[in-house]
Amino acid sequence: MAYSKRIPPIKVKLNVEDFNKLIETLENMIDCDNEYYSNKSSKIKDKLLRYSVPINDENEETKVDIRLYNNEIVDLFYILFYGIEDMISVETNYFDVLMQVREKIKEEKMANE
């Protein structure tokens, strides 16, 4: 069986400052008290440092081209969300807003039929 080289489907380009912030955030999460997030952070950090590619965009600005699989994006989302959990105070119930918006869309569709 031939080896098939799969390129991760999700492409993100970060400037150098944002790349450094992302790696630093992952580094900080490695030391967190949650073993699951600690392990995931370590794996993603190692992957980003190994496989990310520095590039120059059309304006000659240095960017870092990051490629991730869907499951890695989900893991990264949860890692970042876990990391900022104590920093955010929710004052609006956005789930209620979501339900109102969806109901309005539903009513508009029914009116147009």
Side-chain angles (χ1 to χ4, degrees), residues 8-57:
I10 299 169
K11 179 180 183 176
V12 178
K13 288 183 184 177
L14 296 176
N15 63 38
V16 173
E17 182 180 340
D18 289 340
F19 178 76
N20 287 335
K21 286 178 189 176
L22 177 60
I23 299 298
E24 186 68 28
T25 301
L26 292 169
E27 177 67 28
N28 291 338
M29 291 301 294
I30 291 170
D31 297 329
C32 80
D33 57 354
N34 185 308
E35 188 176 344
Y36 176 81
Y37 291 118
S38 176
N39 291 337
K40 290 288 185 181
S41 297
S42 180
K43 287 178 184 176
I44 292 175
K45 176 188 162 223
D46 291 346
K47 177 182 177 168
L48 292 177
L49 290 174
R50 181 179 178 108
Y51 295 108
S52 296
V53 178
I55 58 171
N56 287 326
D57 67 8

Side-chain angles (χ1 to χ4, degrees), residues 2 12 21 24 33-34 40 59 65 70-71 76 97 102:
V12 178
K21 286 178 189 176
E24 186 68 28
D33 57 354
N34 185 308
K40 290 288 185 181
N59 299 325
D65 186 345
N70 293 343
N71 63 319
L76 184 57
V97 174
R102 291 190 56 82

